[in-house]
Amino acid sequence: MKTDREMANDILCKVNSMKEERRMMKNRMGRVAALSCVFALIFVAVFSLFIGGTTTDEKFASATSENTPPKKAFLMVANAAYETETVINKDADVTLPMGGILIAKDTKGMTFSEKDTVMLELKERLIQLYGKDCDWHLRGIQEDTTVYFGTADYLKVKIENPDSVDKISISCTDSGIITVSDKSKLGGSLSEYIKTIKQGTSITVTGKEYTEIYEKTDGICIEWFLSEIITDAFMTSPDMPLSEVEDEITISINYTDGSAEDYTVSFSFNDEGMLSAKCSF
């Protein structure tokens, strides 16, 4: 188990890496810890009917329409490349509009420069996926096997009535590691941003934390990356099919009135490393 100092160092490394990515990643990426900077992936829990593709103001206004129960929260997919947010309509099974690419190559005996070709290959594929060569994020590790994951998409949780929240629990399987934060604080004080970061496979945000930290600006951003278990599996078997990587994230919102909402988001990859995401309510 890491010490507090080691965890703080991990967070600082993550923030520095994120700043490098925002400068078009001019410096070569070396090893990034599996718990490092934030991927993108953000959840916003939903209580009632959702209205896809509307603005936040329109979503909140719709909650008060006749014969429509008040909404407690919203589940959205955000895109950093186009600065958009899509509200997910509540249904039994919803495919999320999330893109992402996983890549793993046997690079044993290669120099760092040669290993960088894996990252360049991923960049080219991301340009094809998003039609842009910026505003997406890469994270990964360069060892005997080089593993990278890139995306511009993430999930967000925004609660309409913060005072109604007792706690928000977010967890995943041992295939992944999740990070929650408030991205809106990235442009300000580094210390204030660090206060918003939580990492692990099981994260709890209390109602007080949500009200005092996340609700004031952008809500909770939830991002995903491979766990050390999966990266170690690629180290042992670099030819392991990418389609064997999958994870399941559960979001539980408990309210002060005793009610609760549970949401499950499943991640999977095809043999080419393309991400698919689905949400169940």
Side-chain angles (χ1 to χ4, degrees):
M1 180 178 294
K2 293 186 177 183
T3 65
D4 290 343
R5 182 179 295 275
E6 289 172 329
M7 287 297 292
N9 288 336
D10 281 349
I11 292 172
L12 290 173
C13 288
K14 177 173 70 174
V15 173
N16 289 333
S17 178
M18 287 163 49
K19 287 185 177 179
E20 290 175 3
E21 290 170 358
R22 294 174 72 91
R23 297 189 191 102
M24 304 290 292
M25 289 170 282
K26 293 181 180 179
N27 299 322
R28 184 197 331 138
M29 293 179 65
R31 173 167 184 166
V32 180
L35 296 181
S36 74
C37 62
V38 188
F39 161 155
L41 277 271
I42 304 169
F43 292 92
V44 181
V46 190
F47 172 72
S48 178
L49 301 174
F50 290 88
I51 300 179
T54 61
T55 65
T56 300
D57 288 344
E58 289 171 337
K59 297 192 299 277
F60 286 172
S62 68
T64 62
S65 62
E66 186 177 358
N67 298 325
T68 302
K71 296 178 181 179
K72 290 185 177 180
F74 291 91
L75 173 62
M76 293 178 278
V77 174
N79 180 286
Y82 299 102
E83 297 183 348
T84 60
E85 293 179 353
T86 302
V87 179
I88 305 305
N89 291 312
K90 188 170 183 179
D91 204 343
D93 224 5
V94 178
T95 298
L96 301 181
M98 296 188 67
I101 299 173
L102 174 65
I103 191 168
K105 298 288 184 180
D106 186 350
T107 52
K108 186 176 182 179
M110 291 186 181
T111 65
F112 281 114
S113 295
E114 291 171 330
K115 292 176 182 179
D116 279 347
T117 61
V118 179
M119 179 181 65
L120 295 175
E121 177 186 340
L122 177 55
K123 286 183 177 182
E124 291 175 357
R125 292 180 61 186
L126 288 169
I127 291 172
Q128 294 175 357
L129 177 63
Y130 291 105
K132 295 186 67 175
D133 61 357
C134 61
D135 296 320
W136 26 257
H137 307 287
L138 300 125
R139 58 206 52 81
I141 184 171
Q142 288 185 347
E143 288 191 354
D144 287 347
T145 301
T146 294
V147 182
Y148 276 104
F149 178 74
T151 186
D153 299 315
Y154 55 93
L155 298 155
K156 180 184 289 186
V157 176
K158 182 107 177 144
I159 310 296
E160 181 183 9
N161 181 10
D163 292 335
S164 69
V165 178
D166 177 41
K167 66 179 179 180
I168 301 171
S169 301
I170 306 165
S171 61
C172 66
T173 72
D174 58 11
S175 293
I177 189 79
I178 49 181
T179 302
V180 305
S181 66
D182 180 355
K183 284 181 174 290
S184 68
K185 290 185 171 63
L186 272 173
S189 167
L190 177 61
S191 61
E192 288 302 310
Y193 174 68
I194 290 175
K195 291 178 183 178
T196 75
I197 297 174
K198 291 175 178 279
Q199 292 178 323
T201 57
S202 181
I203 296 171
T204 297
V205 175
T206 66
K208 181 179 180 182
E209 287 175 323
Y210 183 83
T211 301
E212 294 181 352
I213 299 175
Y214 304 98
E215 181 271 334
K216 291 182 180 300
T217 49
D218 213 27
I220 297 178
C221 298
I222 307 171
E223 300 175 292
W224 178 91
F225 185 57
L226 302 170
S227 70
E228 290 186 3
I229 292 175
I230 298 300
T231 55
D232 287 348
F234 278 119
M235 298 302 159
T236 302
S237 304
D239 295 328
M240 181 178 74
L242 299 175
S243 57
E244 290 190 13
V245 179
E246 58 184 21
D247 197 9
E248 187 173 275
I249 298 175
T250 300
I251 304 172
S252 297
I253 303 178
N254 295 91
Y255 296 98
T256 54
D257 64 3
S259 62
E261 299 178 87
D262 295 317
Y263 311 94
T264 301
V265 177
S266 301
F267 291 155
S268 61
F269 296 86
N270 64 16
D271 289 333
E272 285 70 47
M274 298 295 294
L275 170 69
S276 294
K278 185 174 289 187
C279 183
S280 301
F281 300 88

